[in-house]
Amino acid sequence: MERVGVVLGSREATPLAFWVGVEGEGLLRLDDLVVVEGFHPKVGRVRYFGMVDHVAKVHEGETYDTDTFLAVEGHIPVSLAYVAHVSVTRILPEEFFPPDPGSPVYLAKGEDLELALYYEGMRNQKGTTKLPAGLLKNGEVAYLNLEFLNGVKGGHVNISGISGVAAKTSYATFLLKSLLESGVLEDAHQAKVLLFNVKGEDLFFLDKPNARLTEEAKAEYEALGLPPTPFRSVAFLAPPKKDGYVPDVDTRLEGVRAYHYDLVQFCQRGLLPFLFADRGFMTNLGFLVQHLTEKLRRLAEGQKGPHLLVDDWPREELPEAKAFDALGKVPLRSFADLVRYLEYKLLGPETGEGEGDRSWTARQARGTLEAFVRRLRASVENVAHLIRGDRPGNPPDPLKGEQVHVVDLAKLSPQAQMFVVGSLLKDVFERKERGQYRGRVFIVLDELNKYAPRDEEGPIKDVLLDIAERGRSLGVILIGAEQTASEVERRVVGNAAIRVVGRLDAAEAERPEYRYLPTTFRQRALILPQGWVILHQPEIPVPLLVRFPFPAWATKREEVLEDNSAEALRRELF
Amino acid sequence: MAWRLYALELPQAQDLLPEGPEPEGFWPLEEPWAARRAEALPWPEPLYFLDGKERAEGLLAEGRRLALLGCVAAGAVVYEGGRMRLLPPRVRRVGVGLSEPLRVGELRYEPFPAEGEGVYALQEGLRRARANLEAEVAQELSGGLLVVDGPVRLKRVGPILGYIKTHWARYLPPEKEALLAALAPGERTPLFRIRRKGLELASWYLRLPLPPEGVRPPEAGLLRLETPLDGPYGWLAALSLSLFPALASHPVKDPRAPQNLTPVGGLERELGRRMGSREVVARLLARYLGGG
């Protein structure tokens, strides 16, 4: 054991925190883990494990600040005091009496480190649950208890931090890599991942090796027990371009599938509410939306699609007069048609002040009906290419096929983003609820403050709350990220067992949402360098500052390591 | 009969005693009698500063016999390689007038003989104990130049320089004393010879800078130095002009500025610290020896 100093007697030593005087060549830095031995004749030997959360140096023997000049010039003798404050993480056995001043302090390594960070308790009857979560500053591996991530004891991860310093998305993908390939999650082969790509196209190269991966980074992956390889089984889904069916992406040209819904799916799955993110503002409108969702569901019952057939739309209003079928039904071939149909059902024929169909209007005042139609009409521009009636729908299905599904939202309008996120989450959650898929589902969603804002109500927030509160027992785990946790619904953040903080804005760091971080960590969150995050998990009373390796997968087009071998070319050609 | 605590505090005023008899006569070593300056000289290395400290901690009585418990400390700082470094100080607890060691809690007082009776003899004994300890520390300092606080009393192989901060004795005839008031900071008087207890010494006065100038009596900032006459006194006199003004303390920080040199001030503070808390010692004494 490496002795670094002694417990100070000039400052109070308590069972939960004490000061250490660093001696001689000793080195104690923030986040270093130490162990101290105490003894009392009635209790016996007690060991205190702790983490350094404050270090300071001061000249002893200086009375005035200007004495430093004299000391530097060599005119007065001073001694250098090097002290560190230690927060105790654990006492073994649990006898809460203070350590004696003067007790030697050792660096915690190996077995002591495991004890200090409760690693030895991270196991269940089937084996270890130590999930590699990054590297500590001293190079040792930091672990998360998997049972707090996979839903056994807790679930969900919340990542916050300002954007642009490579923390949120990078750490989320690193965590996925660890979950899927470290071998700690025993049913990893069954696990599915739904990743929403909210900006740029940086998640579109998860399956390509990163050309900038250095040898050191590879060694770090090795230390973590992870292969330095890209993700193996990834599906890329992007919305179609507004005219046509080609996926709307710029950087990645192959292997991306376009996704969209057809009208029948739209109706059958009850997706209408997800077009109205601000439903809560008008309770009448909310009621009407619910009612219409149900009407549309009944209307689409038994239909095959892609177009929706209706039998009560007068012939003369039809844009394409030829489109009658044998049963006298009219097909709706686009979202715009559906909107016009609903307008007709709610407000009556365009000519004159007619009345709508009573069974559709649900006795709502005309003002409400008009407001609804106005909103619906406004959404045509946003979602018409996602909800179409001219070819069979192909919505993303993260529970089938590849292990990781990247769903692109970047180019969609906010309303369309809401629609896609809401309908996908609802779909996945409902199928898990019905027990249609056995494996775990990890959902990565950035910009949680948009989907589950603190102050507003909305259908997506309902789904997210449902996932946050009931998801872990169903095996649906949310890995949510946002710039500011203070703007996200408290219950969504509060249900996350694991919290990760990247670089924070100074004002944000003072919000009560970050009170679980000790002051020094909140201060440090302001200056976190790239590739570092603060990790908090329920079992360890102090957060850990961890570094995670450079992504082994490309995060943009330029980073893709081109495979120009003959084999690869042959595969591409044939 | 056992020792009982008689008093914790001793009468003050012993510090105000003059240092020995009046000098006889005046023998100048340099001509003419005028202020002198010198070129800056490099400091010799190692350069030692020696100082001691004494503290009376309690007066004990056993019947009519008295004993003085005290703590003495001595230490040195050394200037070497551009740094001022503290050498391990020595601290000793002595009982002047005790015939055998006395244990008070964790403290142990070693007996030290007293010459004569009464409190003043005991205090003088404590001063001797400190002087002995200083001599002990000085013995271990080899090479270089040794600067001691107070008159030169030690014998030493290498050069030794004593500096006196308060001037009880008058060494100069009245007509020569006028030069002291005229000395500018960084100037010294010519050398003169003094004799004390069989020692032949060379001595001179030196003016330290004392900002702000001109608001203090003319003796302020005046330092008298002395060194054995058989040593390199000419070089030391020149060196003292580059050494002492640079080490003078600032009146804002030290009430004894500028004569209390900064390294010695630091050393004294450190010695005081090693002697332990006065209050804690007093409580220990009261607890183990009080209440008789």
Side-chain angles (χ1 to χ4, degrees):
Chain A
M1 286 206 287
E2 188 185 338
R3 180 177 154 142
V4 286
V6 294
V7 176
L8 282 188
S10 55
R11 311 203 192 194
E12 209 174 51
T14 72
L16 300 179
F18 51 82
W19 290 83
V20 176
V22 183
E23 59 194 5
E25 301 276 290
L27 174 65
L28 264 192
R29 297 160 296 183
L30 288 178
D31 307 317
D32 278 340
L33 292 154
V34 296
V35 53
V36 174
E37 213 156 274
F39 183 82
H40 190 278
K42 284 189 182 153
V43 180
R45 199 175 79 129
V46 171
R47 284 196 295 163
Y48 304 83
F49 298 90
M51 179 184 265
V52 176
D53 60 8
H54 181 83
V55 279
K57 279 186 183 180
V58 71
H59 267 165
E60 279 183 336
E62 279 189 12
T63 328
Y64 296 92
D65 293 339
T66 46
D67 282 353
T68 312
F69 301 119
L70 295 173
V72 170
E73 287 160 15
H75 291 176
I76 53 168
V78 289
S79 53
L80 186 70
Y82 180 2
V83 298
H85 183 259
V86 172
S87 288
V88 173
T89 58
R90 191 174 200 183
I91 302 183
L92 280 180
E94 288 190 336
E95 297 285 354
F96 288 84
F97 71 88
D100 282 328
S103 310
V105 177
Y106 303 95
L107 278 183
K109 284 193 178 145
E111 206 177 300
D112 287 334
L113 186 98
E114 302 241 315
L115 284 169
L117 296 180
Y118 295 77
Y119 288 169
E120 100 294 346
M122 292 185 186
R123 51 171 50 257
N124 56 19
Q125 62 277 13
K126 289 181 197 152
T128 178
T129 56
K130 280 156 68 183
L131 183 75
L135 294 159
L136 295 175
K137 202 184 279 164
N138 59 11
E140 308 246 8
V141 180
Y143 294 101
L144 281 177
N145 192 349
L146 179 69
E147 297 200 313
F148 283 101
L149 184 48
N150 66 1
V152 173
K153 289 182 186 162
H156 311 311
V157 181
N158 189 271
I159 307 176
S160 40
I162 58 175
S163 56
V165 279
K168 287 179 304 203
T169 320
S170 308
Y171 192 70
T173 46
F174 167 74
L175 211 52
L176 288 177
K177 178 83 181 166
S178 183
L179 275 167
L180 297 180
E181 296 186 31
S182 66
V184 181
L185 182 69
E186 55 170 15
D187 50 357
H189 60 283
Q190 277 194 335
K192 294 284 186 188
V193 177
L194 172 59
L195 257 162
F196 289 102
N197 182 54
V198 290
K199 45 186 180 292
E201 285 174 14
D202 29 338
L203 290 173
F204 269 77
F205 301 98
L206 283 180
D207 60 340
K208 303 279 186 200
N210 193 324
R212 298 192 196 160
L213 192 67
T214 56
E215 287 304 315
E216 295 96 74
K218 283 185 188 164
E220 285 173 1
Y221 277 100
E222 199 164 308
L224 290 162
L226 297 172
T229 52
F231 287 84
R232 275 174 299 198
S233 165
V234 193
F236 298 99
L237 304 158
K241 292 199 167 144
K242 288 212 165 157
D243 41 351
Y245 307 97
V246 186
D248 189 5
V249 282
D250 298 331
T251 56
R252 181 167 177 137
L253 303 174
E254 86 291 349
V256 182
R257 299 197 301 256
Y259 67 85
H260 68 270
Y261 294 80
D262 63 36
L263 286 175
V264 172
Q265 284 167 333
F266 176 78
C267 297
Q268 283 178 340
R269 297 185 184 191
L271 302 183
L272 182 67
F274 297 109
L275 289 175
F276 297 90
D278 55 351
R279 171 207 66 180
F281 280 126
M282 299 168 72
T283 41
N284 282 346
L285 194 59
F287 175 72
L288 180 64
V289 168
Q290 266 178 3
H291 177 75
L292 290 178
T293 307
E294 206 41 49
K295 286 298 278 187
L296 286 175
R297 201 199 297 276
R298 232 174 286 154
L299 177 68
E301 225 166 62
Q303 295 204 36
K304 288 255 155 45
H307 45 264
L308 189 67
L309 297 173
V310 294
D311 52 9
D312 53 353
W313 202 356
R315 183 186 304 234
E316 59 274 18
E317 293 228 347
L318 255 181
E320 299 152 54
K322 60 180 166 103
F324 282 97
D325 78 350
L327 299 166
K329 288 186 176 177
V330 183
L332 305 178
R333 294 195 184 274
S334 71
F335 184 67
D337 283 352
L338 179 68
V339 172
R340 271 201 297 275
Y341 175 67
L342 282 174
E343 187 179 349
Y344 166 73
K345 295 302 280 180
L346 293 176
L347 303 176
E350 264 179 59
T351 50
E353 290 291 300
E355 271 206 6
D357 184 337
R358 287 237 174 147
S359 71
W360 285 72
T361 56
R363 295 175 186 277
Q364 294 297 312
R366 192 165 173 92
T368 311
L369 300 175
E370 280 173 346
F372 172 80
V373 170
R374 264 200 310 279
R375 279 157 187 257
L376 200 59
R377 256 202 234 127
S379 67
V380 171
E381 172 65 19
N382 291 332
V383 299
H385 60 305
L386 282 176
I387 308 165
R388 18 201 339 163
D390 49 357
R391 57 162 61 190
N394 173 32
D397 184 359
L399 302 186
K400 262 201 201 122
E402 287 86 347
Q403 185 158 40
V404 179
H405 278 65
V406 177
V407 176
D408 185 40
L409 306 172
K411 291 229 175 91
L412 294 175
S413 64
Q415 189 184 27
Q417 290 185 342
M418 290 283 186
F419 173 75
V420 173
V421 171
S423 46
L424 263 179
L425 291 184
K426 175 179 143 95
D427 177 47
V428 169
F429 194 62
E430 280 179 356
R431 279 156 73 193
K432 284 292 290 179
E433 240 178 342
R434 291 198 294 265
Q436 289 176 349
Y437 187 77
R438 295 197 36 194
R440 291 186 206 294
V441 182
F442 295 94
I443 296 167
V444 181
L445 180 59
D446 201 349
E447 297 182 6
L448 266 190
N449 44 331
K450 191 155 118 190
Y451 302 104
R454 166 157 294 184
D455 310 315
E456 293 163 34
E457 296 301 317
I460 302 179
K461 181 170 165 179
D462 291 348
V463 178
L464 280 170
L465 264 178
D466 227 13
I467 293 179
E469 282 167 351
R470 296 195 297 133
R472 81 172 177 90
S473 51
L474 295 169
V476 181
I477 307 297
L478 179 68
I479 302 179
E482 71 281 316
Q483 286 206 33
T484 48
S486 59
E487 286 165 11
V488 179
E489 168 60 40
R490 204 171 280 139
R491 284 184 289 164
V492 172
V493 179
N495 270 301
I498 309 231
R499 307 207 186 165
V500 181
V501 171
R503 172 107 54 110
L504 286 185
D505 171 69
E508 175 71 9
E510 292 307 315
R511 305 260 185 164
E513 281 71 25
Y514 302 95
R515 282 290 145 80
Y516 65 91
L517 290 176
T519 321
T520 51
F521 277 90
R522 265 179 292 175
Q523 288 170 350
R524 229 152 6 124
L526 310 184
I527 53 165
L528 270 187
Q530 205 156 38
W532 289 82
V533 290
I534 295 169
L535 191 67
H536 184 266
Q537 55 182 319
E539 270 184 333
I540 308 183
V542 292
L544 301 179
L545 186 73
V546 302
R547 176 166 52 94
F548 56 96
F550 192 71
W553 45 92
T555 56
K556 45 180 153 334
R557 175 88 227 164
E558 308 89 84
E559 284 178 350
V560 173
L561 183 66
E562 297 292 351
D563 186 2
N564 287 330
S565 66
E567 166 67 22
L569 287 173
R570 201 173 54 80
R571 249 185 293 140
E572 204 150 295
L573 288 171
F574 305 106
Chain B
M1 195 181 272
W3 287 106
R4 281 289 166 207
L5 189 60
Y6 187 81
L8 282 169
E9 298 290 331
L10 288 189
Q12 297 295 311
Q14 70 274 24
D15 291 335
L16 300 177
L17 292 175
E19 306 169 337
E22 289 284 316
E24 327 119 18
F26 169 67
W27 301 281
L29 292 169
E30 280 177 311
E31 290 288 342
W33 188 252
R36 283 159 196 263
R37 293 183 159 272
E39 292 295 308
L41 287 178
W43 295 4
E45 289 190 12
L47 175 62
Y48 299 105
F49 295 86
L50 177 71
D51 198 11
K53 213 177 158 93
E54 71 206 41
R55 184 171 78 192
E57 295 184 330
L59 190 62
L60 302 189
E62 188 185 48
R64 290 189 57 80
R65 275 177 67 201
L66 288 179
L68 178 64
L69 299 186
C71 184
V72 291
V77 284
V78 57
Y79 176 80
E80 222 168 4
R83 280 198 62 209
M84 204 60 87
R85 186 164 51 87
L86 194 73
L87 296 176
R90 289 172 181 229
V91 179
R92 202 165 286 167
R93 297 211 125 76
V94 292
V96 184
L98 292 181
S99 48
E100 54 194 48
L102 179 67
R103 184 169 279 285
V104 182
E106 299 125 39
L107 307 176
R108 185 184 155 96
Y109 290 89
E110 295 295 335
F112 193 87
E115 287 170 8
E117 301 251 318
V119 175
Y120 288 103
L122 293 176
Q123 279 179 316
E124 185 53 37
L126 193 61
R127 242 195 308 283
R128 266 189 300 115
R130 180 195 66 170
N132 289 358
L133 199 61
E134 281 180 21
E136 240 177 73
V137 172
Q139 265 184 355
E140 289 166 13
L141 308 175
S142 55
L145 170 64
L146 175 64
V147 178
V148 295
D149 186 0
V152 173
R153 294 195 193 89
L154 307 156
K155 297 242 176 204
R156 182 174 192 267
V157 180
I160 179 167
L161 194 57
Y163 71 95
I164 291 92
K165 292 177 284 195
T166 37
H167 313 293
W168 298 108
R170 303 184 90 89
Y171 290 90
L172 302 179
E175 72 274 12
K176 305 287 186 198
E177 265 191 350
L179 180 60
L180 297 185
L183 282 180
E187 285 181 345
R188 67 172 175 88
T189 65
L191 302 177
F192 51 90
R193 192 182 69 169
I194 46 177
R195 256 193 210 129
R196 191 177 59 236
K197 290 183 185 167
L199 281 173
E200 291 275 332
L201 302 160
S203 181
W204 65 95
Y205 285 91
L206 183 152
R207 168 84 67 189
L208 295 173
L210 179 57
E213 290 292 336
V215 297
R216 288 181 177 76
E219 298 88 40
L222 210 55
L223 208 59
R224 189 174 67 77
L225 294 115
E226 59 182 41
T227 181
L229 205 51
D230 53 3
Y233 58 83
W235 168 64
L236 287 176
L239 175 68
S240 68
L241 288 180
S242 8
L243 190 60
F244 287 89
L247 295 178
S249 50
H250 196 280
V252 166
K253 300 181 186 176
D254 193 335
R256 290 190 290 165
Q259 287 99 322
N260 204 34
L261 304 185
T262 46
V264 178
L267 174 62
E268 281 179 351
R269 206 161 43 230
E270 193 65 16
L271 290 179
R273 193 155 80 82
R274 302 288 168 111
M275 290 162 98
S277 156
R278 178 87 183 79
E279 286 75 24
V280 172
V281 172
R283 280 167 195 228
L284 277 175
L285 292 178
R287 175 163 164 212
Y288 285 96
L289 302 172

